[in-house]
Structures are given as structure tokens and as C-alpha cells.
Amino acid sequence: ETEPQPVSTSFLDEIPVEVVIQLGRRRMEIRELANIDVDDVIELNQSVERPLDLVVGDKLVARGELVIVGERMAIRITELLGRGGEES
């Protein structure tokens, strides 16, 4: 009898996932949302000094700072979370 061979999971490396960079949050009432207009400013709960959160699914995986690359916004990773249960 032959032993079962381990299943290769390398195909998982090619599956795309959505990465979300959270700038901040704000809880609003529907009434407030219905009244927003162009040029309104909505303050967020996050201070400008605090790092941005990089989230995959519902899991926080890294933090970083906002940078500009050409004409696009980007994030420079400053902290990795959840690798082997330790922060780096």
C-alpha cells in the first residue's frame, strides 16, 4: 500500500485577494449621509500621525505610512503583524 502524497498548495499563491488600506472610520447616521454634498469635509477617527492599517479580509496584517509615488498614493509598510503570532 502506498502512502498518500501531501497535496501541493502552491496554486494558492496565485489567488487574488482584496487588500484594503484603512485611512480611518466614522460612524454617521443615515440622515447625515443623505445631507452630504460636494466640498463637505468628513472628519475621521484617526490622527494624522497614526499609521494606516492594511487589512486582508477582516485581518489586520500590516501598518504603514502614506507616501506618494508619481501621481498615485501608496503605503510604505512600517510594521508586519500576525506572522507566526509575533509582531515585527
Side-chain angles (χ1 to χ4, degrees), residues 7-8 11-12 19-21 24-25 27 33-34 38 51 54-56 58 60 62 66 74 79 81 84 88:
V7 175
S8 172
F11 70 94
L12 294 174
V19 176
V20 175
I21 309 304
R25 293 177 182 256
R27 183 173 293 270
L33 283 174
V38 174
L54 187 146
V55 178
V56 177
D58 290 331
L60 175 63
L66 184 66
E79 181 180 10
L81 305 168
S88 61

Side-chain angles (χ1 to χ4, degrees), residues 3-87:
E3 291 186 28
Q5 298 296 316
V7 175
S8 172
T9 58
S10 63
F11 70 94
L12 294 174
D13 292 341
E14 302 299 321
I15 296 174
V17 295
E18 184 169 322
V19 176
V20 175
I21 309 304
Q22 292 183 343
L23 182 60
R25 293 177 182 256
R26 165 86 186 259
R27 183 173 293 270
M28 297 177 74
E29 295 175 353
I30 292 176
R31 170 184 52 237
E32 293 174 288
L33 283 174
N35 289 323
I36 63 173
D37 204 351
V38 174
D39 291 329
D40 283 356
V41 175
I42 299 172
E43 290 186 43
L44 303 175
N45 66 341
Q46 186 159 305
S47 131
V48 294
E49 293 87 24
R50 185 170 173 259
L52 305 177
D53 292 340
L54 187 146
V55 178
V56 177
D58 290 331
K59 183 166 179 55
L60 175 63
V61 295
R63 290 196 172 102
E65 59 189 18
L66 184 66
V67 294
I68 304 299
V69 177
E71 294 184 11
R72 295 181 183 254
M73 292 187 290
I75 184 172
R76 175 182 294 123
I77 304 302
T78 58
E79 181 180 10
L80 292 173
L81 305 168
R83 292 209 174 163
E86 298 179 13
E87 294 186 16

